[in-house]
């Protein structure tokens, strides 16, 4: 099946620094990727929809200047957490669809555990 | 936003037993999907059932969908220790490319 690679798997950073997370579709082209955030023992909350070549669509309550998303190619989307603070510590997961057909499953990256000190 | 509610929140069973979990949702859907997540990892797609289907099987998994009650169930038969994970339902609503995930059921299979 299709593979989505997410990097890094975990990152520890100091408060005030920026962190970039990469999400790559390895064997398919993903015109749309999704970024989720997950707190311990909770569900996935959609943060934004990343569209290749255009601006990302953010969910209500998600600060677009805080969470910068770039989808410059059909195989790569990046999420940058700017000026990270301890409350940004969370598990971030990306996903992508293999086909443009919305009626299909998502392939997920393995997630990035962010810890902000 | 989240539209799925799952029940139970947690389930502990003995290896070899069946595990059943339920998912309810609020709005009309195109399809409903079930995913598994091992601790600290991404999600793995298990099965997709379309709105015009009532039951679907995949190996030891059986999914039912009742659109009149806006609910679905996932049955894992003859459970194994490797089935220990969190299970999430996700709905794909009309005219929307996004999936909304339920709160998840944490399943522990004891050897």
């Amino acid at each position: 099946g299709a593979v989505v690679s997410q990097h890094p798997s975990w990152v520890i950073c100091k408060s005030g620094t920026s962190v970039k997370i990469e999400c790559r579709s390895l064997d398919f082209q993903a015109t749309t990727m999704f970024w989720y955030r997950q707190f311990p023992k909770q569900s996935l909350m959609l943060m934004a929809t990343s569209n290749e070549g255009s601006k990302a669509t953010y969910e209500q309550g998600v600060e677009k200047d805080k969470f910068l998303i770039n989808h410059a190619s059909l195989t790569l989307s990046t999420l940058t957490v700017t000026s990270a603070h301890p409350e940004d510590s969370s598990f971030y997961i990306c996903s992508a669809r293999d086909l443009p057909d919305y009626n299909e499953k998502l392939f997920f990256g393995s997630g990035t555990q962010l810890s902000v000190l | 936003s989240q539209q799925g509610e799952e029940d139970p929140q947690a389930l502990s069973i003995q290896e070899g037993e069946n595990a059943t979990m339920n998912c309810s949702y609020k709005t009309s859907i195109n399809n409903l999907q079930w995913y598994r997540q091992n601790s600290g990892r991404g999600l793995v797609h298990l099965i997709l059932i379309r709105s015009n289907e009532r039951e679907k099987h995949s190996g030891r998994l059986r999914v039912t969908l009742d659109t009149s009650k806006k609910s679905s169930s996932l049955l894992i038969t003859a459970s194994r220790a490797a089935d220990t994970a969190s299970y999430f339902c996700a709905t794909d609503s009309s005219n929307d490319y996004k999936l909304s995930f339920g709160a998840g059921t944490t399943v522990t299979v004891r050897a």
Side-chain angles (χ1 to χ4, degrees), chain A:
Chain A
V3 177
V4 174
S5 174
Q6 187 172 341
H7 177 82
S9 299
W10 55 271
V11 58
I12 301 172
C13 68
K14 291 183 179 179
S15 188
T17 60
S18 293
V19 174
K20 180 184 282 188
I21 303 170
E22 291 189 350
C23 182
R24 293 181 185 273
S25 56
L26 296 187
D27 49 2
F28 67 98
Q29 293 183 331
T31 55
T32 302
M33 290 185 176
F34 303 92
W35 288 95
Y36 294 85
R37 183 174 181 175
Q38 186 181 32
F39 291 103
K41 300 188 186 302
Q42 294 189 26
S43 186
L44 281 73
M45 298 302 295
L46 180 64
M47 299 175 64
T49 302
S50 169
N51 300 296
E52 186 268 334
S54 64
K55 290 183 180 180
T57 303
Y58 290 82
E59 294 299 299
Q60 193 172 6
V62 178
E63 299 176 61
K64 61 182 180 181
D65 295 330
K66 174 77 171 173
F67 300 99
L68 299 179
I69 291 172
N70 184 280
H71 194 155
S73 77
L74 286 171
T75 59
L76 174 64
S77 176
T78 61
L79 168 68
T80 301
V81 183
T82 62
S83 186
H85 291 284
E87 58 265 29
D88 299 323
S89 297
S90 188
F91 192 59
Y92 294 87
I93 314 176
C94 69
S95 67
R97 278 197 166 96
D98 191 3
L99 298 171
D101 183 358
Y102 66 82
N103 206 21
E104 287 294 334
K105 61 186 178 183
L106 290 178
F107 294 95
F108 281 82
S110 56
T112 298
Q113 182 63 54
L114 170 63
S115 297
V116 184
L117 305 178

Side-chain angles (χ1 to χ4, degrees), chain B residues 48-60:
Chain B
L48 180 154
I49 185 166
R50 303 191 191 282
S51 59
N52 60 353
E53 296 176 311
R54 291 296 166 260
E55 187 171 313
K56 205 161 184 180
H57 297 254
S58 177
R60 293 184 295 112

